[in-house]
Amino acid sequence: MKTILTGIRSNSVLTLGNYLGALLPMVRLANEHSKDFKVNIFVPDLHSIISEVDGDLRENTIRTLKYWLAAGLNLNENVHIYRQSYVPAHSELCWILNCTATMGETSRMIQYKEKSKGQESCNVGIFDYPILMAADILLYDAEYIPLGEDQFQHIELTRNIAMRFNNKFGEVFTVPVKTSDQVKFMEVDTAIRIRDLLNPEKKMSKSTVAEGSKIMLDDTPEKAAKKIMSATTDSLGKVKFDMFNQPGISNLLQIEALVTDVPLSEVTAKWNGETRYGELKKKVAESVSSMLKDFQTRLAEISDDEVYKLLEEGEKYANELANAKLLEVQKAVGLR
Ligand code: ATP
Ligand code: MG
């Protein structure tokens, strides 16, 4: 059985953008494939500490796991949930891979360049996390890694590290599929990018300071509705799906389609030519607040105990697999 592996960092509460663009598609994919694939879902808590953590990391981690369940993840014997830091083999393999990767290839990572801004005060974790990510993947022979486009370069790096290691030390690692095949597997034409509500030229991000820019998954439905009603639109006065000229309006149409699970073409056809932006906003505000209400109700029904029970099983499973692979690696390089 092949393995799908994915995760979301647990730095803070997630936004509607993270939910619609990452969590929901990943849950859909996991549910679709968990009969014929092993599905590893983990919280990369060691990746979380490369930047500021908003709140209590342990609580954030448990909440992030509850998000997966509240978003509809179906559990069966092929689905395993674990925390990265509870499987020490990740850090151990990271070190060994550090000694095979080059400064050149890691320095070329766009995420590193963006996050470090060329400053020497940037922590080493920001530089090294793609190697930890390679360990996260290679420990489980994972072939499919559904992630955002911003992570594609790291998947290519993982492939290179795995191929180089196999060439030098023998066939130890399964090489993940190329990013172009990852995209095919995810069955998406273009990545979903929910826009910032106040500055729709930019994407919605949890680290944006302005409250009105983003809908958080713990916003009350009323608060979320207000944010939609105050979203920036344009002065053209006619609804049209056109991300370039009318990004605010197009974003609302996109949100409406995803939240109500109606094809974008249908939503667009329905609102096309409407001159009262307020009517569209009212509808989207209703859809978003009712989605949040349902989501939050499901979230409140999931107990910490339920999550800990899943983690107990998942972490036992993950440690067994990861330790076996690590031993193979240690033998291959001569440590054992
Ligand atoms: P930060 O501001 O801290 O970078 P972020 O909101 O960009 O936060 P990430 O932790 O970088 O979130 O990304 C988590 C996941 O959510 C990734 O898979 C990313 O592709 C996806 N994602 C982030 N923002 C959006 C968005 N606006 N629309 C769709 N998907 C998004
Ligand atoms: Mg981001």
Side-chain angles (χ1 to χ4, degrees):
M1 236 186 220
K2 294 187 172 178
T3 298
I4 303 174
L5 179 140
T6 191
I8 295 185
R9 295 203 303 154
S10 53
N11 290 57
S12 67
V13 177
L14 299 184
T15 67
L16 183 69
N18 303 137
Y19 178 76
L20 296 176
L23 197 60
L24 263 195
M26 288 188 207
V27 165
R28 201 202 60 223
L29 204 69
N31 288 348
E32 230 168 75
H33 292 290
S34 64
K35 276 204 191 70
D36 333 299
F37 284 79
K38 288 191 283 185
V39 179
N40 289 19
I41 289 178
F42 76 114
V43 176
D45 53 354
L46 292 171
H47 287 287
S48 299
I49 59 173
I50 63 167
S51 50
E52 278 308 311
V53 174
D54 188 2
D56 182 282
L57 180 56
R58 282 179 306 170
E59 277 171 24
N60 288 350
T61 299
I62 299 301
R63 189 183 50 230
T64 305
L65 290 165
K66 288 184 181 176
Y67 282 158
W68 285 92
L69 302 175
L73 179 71
N74 295 331
L75 297 168
N76 68 28
E77 70 280 3
N78 291 333
V79 180
H80 300 279
I81 292 177
Y82 52 92
R83 292 164 289 186
Q84 183 186 35
S85 73
Y86 282 73
V87 189
H90 288 243
S91 316
E92 183 79 21
L93 180 59
C94 174
W95 177 259
I96 296 173
L97 298 181
N98 272 337
C99 301
T100 72
T102 69
M103 293 291 290
E105 63 189 349
T106 19
S107 309
R108 276 197 293 278
M109 295 297 113
I110 295 162
Q111 287 280 306
Y112 162 64
K113 288 188 199 162
E114 282 181 7
K115 288 200 157 107
S116 67
K117 301 184 187 94
Q119 288 168 353
E120 294 222 329
S121 58
C122 142
N123 74 61
V124 177
I126 289 179
F127 177 68
D128 199 34
Y129 90 90
I131 311 293
L132 180 58
M133 184 170 157
D136 300 337
I137 296 168
L138 298 176
L139 275 177
Y140 303 93
D141 291 316
E143 286 179 73
Y144 295 96
I145 337 286
L147 289 172
E149 190 190 9
D150 53 338
Q151 297 301 323
F152 284 3
Q153 205 187 10
H154 298 157
I155 295 178
E156 287 304 330
L157 176 67
T158 301
R159 283 169 46 78
N160 290 336
I161 289 175
M163 288 187 279
R164 192 182 316 135
F165 189 97
N166 286 350
N167 273 336
K168 187 162 177 198
F169 298 108
E171 292 296 312
V172 172
F173 294 126
T174 300
V175 181
V177 305
K178 292 198 295 267
T179 45
S180 53
D181 293 328
Q182 301 279 355
V183 174
K184 278 189 207 139
F185 184 73
M186 288 189 262
E187 292 171 20
V188 288
D189 304 332
T190 48
I192 294 162
R193 264 169 88 86
I194 302 301
R195 305 305 181 99
D196 179 304
L197 294 176
L198 297 178
N199 300 295
E201 296 77 26
K202 300 195 313 186
K203 80 165 192 72
M204 186 183 287
S205 287
K206 54 176 137 63
S207 56
T208 304
V209 180
E211 267 283 306
S213 286
K214 54 192 185 178
I215 290 177
M216 306 306 293
L217 292 181
D218 66 352
D219 279 351
T220 61
E222 298 73 32
K223 190 171 175 188
K226 276 199 193 121
K227 288 180 182 175
I228 298 278
M229 294 308 292
S230 315
T232 302
T233 51
D234 55 65
S235 53
L236 295 171
K238 221 177 206 183
V239 171
K240 189 177 169 205
F241 187 83
D242 178 350
M243 270 300 178
F244 189 72
N245 293 307
Q246 297 185 256
I249 286 293
S250 306
N251 191 37
L252 293 177
L253 293 168
Q254 169 84 85
I255 291 173
E256 172 71 5
L258 292 170
V259 163
T260 57
D261 199 18
V262 172
L264 179 62
S265 55
E266 250 176 67
V267 173
T268 303
K270 175 162 183 255
W271 290 95
N272 208 17
E274 170 67 59
T275 51
R276 293 160 304 171
Y277 285 176
E279 292 299 306
L280 172 63
K281 282 185 167 179
K282 237 197 284 174
K283 175 66 178 71
V284 180
E286 264 169 39
S287 304
V288 169
S289 48
S290 113
M291 178 234 112
L292 272 184
K293 206 165 147 220
D294 291 348
F295 180 78
Q296 289 167 359
T297 305
R298 285 197 301 276
L299 195 66
E301 282 165 359
I302 304 163
S303 68
D304 285 12
D305 281 354
E306 195 178 325
V307 175
Y308 282 116
K309 220 159 138 198
L310 290 170
L311 287 174
E312 199 180 315
E313 185 281 327
E315 285 162 5
K316 184 166 173 279
Y317 166 88
N319 272 298
E320 271 167 24
L321 277 188
N323 287 338
K325 180 59 77 178
L326 179 63
L327 183 61
E328 247 186 277
V329 173
Q330 289 168 325
K331 284 182 177 163
V333 300
L335 290 162
R336 293 288 183 280

